[in-house]
Amino acid sequence: MELLTTNNVWMMICTALVFFMHTGFAFLEIGLTRQKNTINILFKNIFIITVGLLLYYLIGFNLMYPGFAEDSMGIIDFSGFGIAPPENGMTPEYADGGYTWWTDFLFQGMFAATAATIVSGAVAERMKIGAFMIFVVIYVGLVYPIAGSWKWGGGFLDGLGFYDFAGSTLVHSVGGWAALVAVWLLGSRIGKFGNDGKPQAIPGHNIPLATAGVLILWLGWFGFNGGSVLSADPELTSLTLVTTCLAAAAGGVVAMITSTIMYKNLDLTMFLNGILGGLVSITAGADVMTPESAILIGAIGGILIVFAVAFIDKIKLDDPVGAIAVHLACGIWGTLAVGIFSTNPEHTFSAQLIGVLCYAGICIVSSFIIFFLLKKTIGIRVSEKEELEGLDMHEHGMDAYPDFRLNER
C-alpha cells in the first residue's frame, strides 16, 4: 500500500502539470495572435478544458478504455455512461499498483482536452465560436476516445505492435490532422497572403507572453511524459525526463540555427516552436530512447519545424501559431522515430507507419465531415467586418486590455 501511495502521488502531481499545460497553450496562442482576438482565444481554451472533462466523464473514458473482448476486432466498444470504480479500483491490484481508478480517469482526461486545444490555435482569429464549440464536443467526446482505444485501450493497433508512449500520434497528430482540415476549409486570414500570393507577416501582439507559454508547456511535459510511465518507477521516470528535456533543447537550438541560415535573422518564434517540436517528437518514445537518440530526434524535429512552416505558407494555408508544423509534422516524425531508434527490438518501423496511416484516416475523415457539415449549415467563418474589427468585441462584447483612461472623469 505504501508503494501505491507513492505512485499515486506522483501520478497526481503529473496530472496537475498536464492541467497547467493549458495555461501554456493559452499564453502561447494569445501571444502569437493579435490583441483584438485575445478574449476569443481564452474563451475557447477554457471551454475545451471544462467541457472536455465533462465529456470524458460522460462517455469518453469508457469509449477509450472499453475492455475489448478477446474476439473483438478492437475498433470500437463502449462500457457505459459515466464512471464507477471497479472492484479493487483503489487497491494495489489495480494497474499493477501504479495508481487508483480515479487518478487514471483524471490523468487521461487531461490528455483528451489537449487534442482540441491544438486546433484552437490553428483556426485563431477567424472561426465562429459557436462552430468551434460544436466541433470540440464531437471531436473530444467521440473521435479522440475511439481513436485512443486503438492503442491505449488495447485495440487492434496495440495488437499489431504499434507504440506511442505518451501521444505523439494519439494526442498531437490527432489534433494536428483536424487542424490541417480546419485551416483548409476555413481559409486564410484577411491580409495573410498578398496579391502576388506571397505570405505576409501578421505579428503576434505579445511575444513575452508566448515565450512564457512555451516554458510552461515544457514544464508541463514533465507530467505529460513523466506521468505516462504510469508509476513513480525511479529509473523510467528519470530517463523519460532526461530524454524529454534533451529533445526539447535540441529542437530549439537546431530550429534557431536552421531558420537563421534560411532567413538571416534570429527569429524567437521559430526558436520557441523548435522547442515544442522537439517535445512532440520525443513523446512517442521517451521511455525507450537513449539520451543520444533523444538529441537526434529533437534536432530533426527542429529542422522539420522550419521547413514545415515554410511549406504550409507555400501552399497558402494559414496557421497563426504553427500548430500544424509542431503537432502534426513532428508528431508523425516522433512516431516513426520509435521504429528507428527504440531500444526495444519489438518496435518496428512498419508497425509505426501503419499506426500513423490509421490515425490519419480516422482524423481526416471525421474532422472533414464535422467541419464540412458545420460550414454548410451554420457557417464556420466570421464576417469580414467581424474579422477586421476583432472577435473579442463582436463575439464576446469585451476587450482583453480595456483603456481605463477613457473612464476617468
Side-chain angles (χ1 to χ4, degrees):
M1 185 60 73
E2 183 177 343
L3 179 60
L4 171 63
T5 300
T6 301
N7 287 336
N8 198 63
V9 168
W10 166 247
M11 290 298 297
M12 291 302 287
I13 291 171
C14 290
T15 300
L17 286 170
V18 178
F19 175 82
F20 192 43
M21 291 177 77
H22 291 279
T23 305
F25 277 119
F27 281 6
L28 177 63
E29 289 175 31
I30 63 176
L32 293 179
T33 52
R34 290 168 290 187
Q35 176 180 325
K36 62 185 179 181
N37 299 309
T38 300
I39 294 292
N40 182 260
I41 291 170
L42 293 175
F43 187 96
K44 288 190 295 183
N45 277 268
I46 297 299
F47 179 82
I48 288 166
I49 186 64
T50 52
V51 172
L53 274 172
L54 293 173
L55 287 169
Y56 204 64
Y57 163 79
L58 182 64
I59 56 175
F61 190 68
N62 286 338
L63 269 175
M64 194 161 176
Y65 300 96
F68 287 114
E70 288 187 11
D71 58 348
S72 168
M73 294 179 65
I75 296 175
I76 184 171
D77 203 349
F78 182 52
S79 54
F81 292 96
I83 57 171
E87 185 179 355
N88 299 319
M90 304 301 156
T91 72
E93 293 181 41
Y94 181 75
D96 297 323
Y99 44 82
T100 66
W101 167 266
W102 294 125
T103 301
D104 191 5
F105 160 73
L106 200 57
F107 182 68
Q108 298 298 337
M110 293 302 159
F111 276 59
T114 302
T117 304
I118 293 165
V119 183
S120 170
V123 302
E125 303 200 293
R126 75 270 201 210
M127 185 170 182
K128 288 182 177 180
I129 188 70
F132 181 80
M133 292 163 71
I134 294 171
F135 162 77
V136 169
V137 169
I138 300 172
Y139 208 69
V140 174
L142 296 175
V143 179
Y144 171 80
I146 291 171
S149 73
W150 292 355
K151 165 56 187 173
W152 289 345
F156 78 97
L157 284 177
D158 187 53
L160 290 176
F162 173 70
Y163 191 75
D164 189 351
F165 173 63
S168 286
T169 283
L170 272 74
V171 177
H172 296 283
S173 289
V174 165
W177 285 118
L180 179 64
V181 172
V183 166
W184 174 53
L185 289 175
L186 197 58
S188 61
R189 291 169 293 172
I190 297 170
K192 174 59 181 177
F193 297 98
N195 294 330
D196 58 0
K198 291 183 179 179
Q200 309 296 314
I202 301 179
H205 84 281
N206 198 326
I207 301 304
L209 202 57
T211 304
V214 169
L215 292 173
I216 290 171
L217 286 169
W218 191 343
L219 172 64
W221 238 282
F222 280 68
F224 203 82
N225 285 2
S228 293
V229 173
L230 304 181
S231 76
D233 181 286
E235 181 180 355
L236 273 180
T237 51
S238 55
L239 172 64
T240 297
L241 297 188
V242 166
T243 56
T244 298
C245 285
L246 289 175
V253 170
V254 172
M256 178 267 295
I257 293 171
T258 305
S259 65
T260 302
I261 292 171
M262 289 179 63
Y263 302 112
K264 306 299 186 290
N265 68 312
L266 294 166
D267 187 337
L268 176 59
T269 61
M270 201 67 80
F271 204 162
L272 296 174
N273 271 334
I275 292 171
L276 296 178
L279 288 165
V280 172
S281 297
I282 196 61
T283 293
D287 64 326
V288 291
M289 300 297 173
T290 64
E292 295 78 17
S293 295
I295 292 172
L296 182 57
I297 290 168
I300 294 173
I303 295 171
L304 266 178
I305 286 294
V306 180
F307 284 94
V309 168
F311 177 73
I312 290 165
D313 280 344
K314 186 175 182 179
I315 61 175
K316 295 182 174 57
L317 294 179
D318 183 12
D319 179 0
V321 302
I324 298 170
V326 169
H327 299 283
L328 180 55
C330 290
I332 292 171
W333 157 240
T335 304
L336 296 177
V338 172
I340 302 171
F341 296 102
S342 176
T343 56
N344 186 338
E346 294 182 3
H347 296 154
T348 65
F349 186 83
S350 60
Q352 298 304 106
L353 180 60
I354 290 171
V356 167
L357 294 175
C358 287
Y359 280 100
I362 185 175
C363 295
I364 291 172
V365 172
S366 61
S367 58
F368 178 82
I369 291 172
I370 297 168
F371 282 117
F372 184 78
L373 290 177
L374 288 171
K375 185 174 183 177
K376 294 299 181 182
T377 52
I378 65 173
I380 59 176
R381 181 156 185 159
V382 298
S383 69
E384 182 177 344
K385 179 182 179 182
E386 290 171 328
E387 183 176 345
L388 290 173
E389 295 180 357
L391 278 61
D392 288 0
M393 293 307 299
H394 282 278
E395 295 212 314
H396 305 278
M398 61 179 68
D399 188 346
Y401 307 99
D403 190 346
F404 292 105
R405 291 173 298 178
L406 298 176
N407 296 321
E408 291 180 359
R409 296 183 183 273

